[in-house]
Amino acid sequence: MDESLSDALVGTTLGSFKLTKVLGRGGMGTVYLGEHAIIESRVAIKVLIDRLALDESLVARFYAEARAVNRIGHENIVNIFDMNLVPPHTYYLVMEYLEGRPLNYLLSDPVAAELAIPILLQVCDALQAAHNAGIVHRDLKPENIFLTKRGRVDNFVKVLDFGLAKLLDTEHAPGQTAVGLIVGTPEFLSPEQANSSPVDGRSDIYSLGCIAWLLATGRLPFQQRGLADLLVAHRNVMPKAPHEVNPRVSKAWSDAIMRAIAKEPVDRFQTALDFGKALESAL
């Protein structure tokens, strides 16, 4: 499925589901709304891009997403129900369909702590579960934090797209990430990622700290243009504390964010749980 022709799949059937429209596109695949012909249930179906499907290591990473999510099993992480192949090389995942919007829809202005921190706390819970399972997300960004409604909770979080997730134990297949390859989204990369160094859960904490800085101030912590300048900034530049940019941000919230984005992993919160505790205290 070439990206320029990806809409050609709309109207076709994968497994028991008819693909009715495109929901979104990512670096590894296109996500479609799938509807069951008989019971009319709806799912999201991620189809691996054709040109990537010819690379065995990328197919392995695509399947690793399903294994990673299944292994974590947390309510704040999107569920994946099935994965399959339509010969010769149409690989796809069947996931829960979510109604709502990604976090970036809130980001035109600073977001009040009363709204932002409960969202960040749910992401911390999801990350803690992932890290406990030996999995680092490695591409945390507002587009991968989806807000839906569950019961009386308006902004129930679902963390998406573990397609770049890395298993930290021996089950991780060697060679899935090439040496020197920068993986992630430049605006939210940890310094370790910017250096193509090994990462652990503290890298996700840094990325979430950048997201928290953005929520608190309404702008990115690093606004350099171009990949090279962004990488240098993540390695060497500390942004202003959020309370200095937006006086409405409390010192406690600002301090928690600045600790999360410390350049050295040892200087950050060591767990997502600890970051969550600091955020909760700030709230």
Side-chain angles (χ1 to χ4, degrees):
M1 180 191 60
D2 184 87
E3 285 174 289
S4 63
L5 301 175
S6 59
D7 289 3
L9 282 183
V10 172
T12 64
T13 299
L14 285 179
S16 303
F17 297 94
K18 182 178 181 180
L19 307 185
T20 58
K21 70 176 181 179
V22 174
L23 297 175
R25 292 184 174 87
M28 293 195 71
T30 299
V31 181
Y32 297 86
L33 174 62
E35 296 185 355
H36 197 284
I38 300 173
I39 62 176
E40 300 181 352
S41 59
R42 298 196 291 178
V43 296
I45 296 180
K46 180 188 284 191
V47 182
L48 183 64
I49 297 170
D50 253 2
R51 60 183 169 78
L52 302 183
L54 302 176
D55 185 323
E56 290 184 6
S57 66
L58 290 172
V59 171
R61 184 169 295 286
F62 189 66
Y63 278 159
E65 175 175 7
R67 287 194 295 272
V69 169
N70 180 64
R71 181 168 166 174
I72 300 164
H74 192 273
E75 65 176 359
N76 291 122
I77 295 174
V78 66
N79 289 317
I80 297 179
F81 305 129
D82 194 13
M83 57 184 181
N84 217 326
L85 163 67
V86 175
H89 47 68
T90 300
Y91 297 90
Y92 67 94
L93 304 178
V94 180
M95 306 180 291
E96 65 177 318
Y97 171 63
L98 302 172
E99 293 190 54
R101 58 186 182 173
L103 179 61
N104 48 302
Y105 276 78
L106 292 180
L107 295 176
S108 56
D109 295 298
V111 180
E114 293 76 15
L115 175 57
I117 290 179
I119 291 170
L120 294 168
L121 288 174
Q122 293 177 78
V123 181
C124 284
D125 287 346
L127 290 180
Q128 186 65 50
H131 299 162
N132 287 345
I135 295 164
V136 183
H137 189 288
R138 297 204 301 168
D139 192 23
L140 206 61
K141 55 187 174 182
E143 292 87 343
N144 285 339
I145 299 171
F146 199 86
L147 306 178
T148 186
K149 184 174 176 63
R150 175 173 289 190
R152 297 181 181 180
V153 180
D154 286 331
N155 290 309
F156 189 85
V157 166
K158 287 283 189 176
V159 178
L160 312 179
D161 202 357
F162 276 76
L164 298 178
K166 182 175 182 179
L167 303 182
L168 293 178
D169 61 18
T170 55
E171 292 181 20
H172 174 58
Q176 281 195 6
T177 303
V179 174
L181 177 66
I182 294 171
V183 176
T185 300
E187 290 80 3
F188 305 98
L189 281 177
S190 67
E192 308 92 272
Q193 289 173 294
N195 284 323
S196 300
S197 301
V199 302
D200 57 25
R202 294 172 295 182
S203 176
D204 286 341
I205 291 170
Y206 180 93
S207 298
L208 186 58
C210 290
I211 294 169
W213 203 100
L214 173 58
L215 286 167
T217 65
R219 67 192 202 197
L220 288 166
F222 304 103
Q223 300 189 31
Q224 286 79 357
R225 295 184 179 276
L227 176 61
D229 288 342
L230 274 171
L231 296 182
V232 170
H234 282 298
R235 293 182 192 122
N236 302 319
V237 178
M238 279 303 292
K240 287 185 177 180
H243 73 280
E244 296 176 3
V245 178
N246 177 9
R248 295 184 178 181
V249 174
S250 72
K251 183 70 161 51
W253 187 17
S254 186
D255 287 347
I257 293 170
M258 293 304 286
R259 183 175 175 188
I261 61 171
K263 297 301 178 188
E264 295 296 331
V266 70
D267 295 326
R268 296 176 208 149
F269 297 102
Q270 297 302 288
T271 67
L273 179 63
D274 289 339
F275 187 18
K277 288 178 180 177
L279 291 170
E280 199 164 21
S281 295
L283 184 62

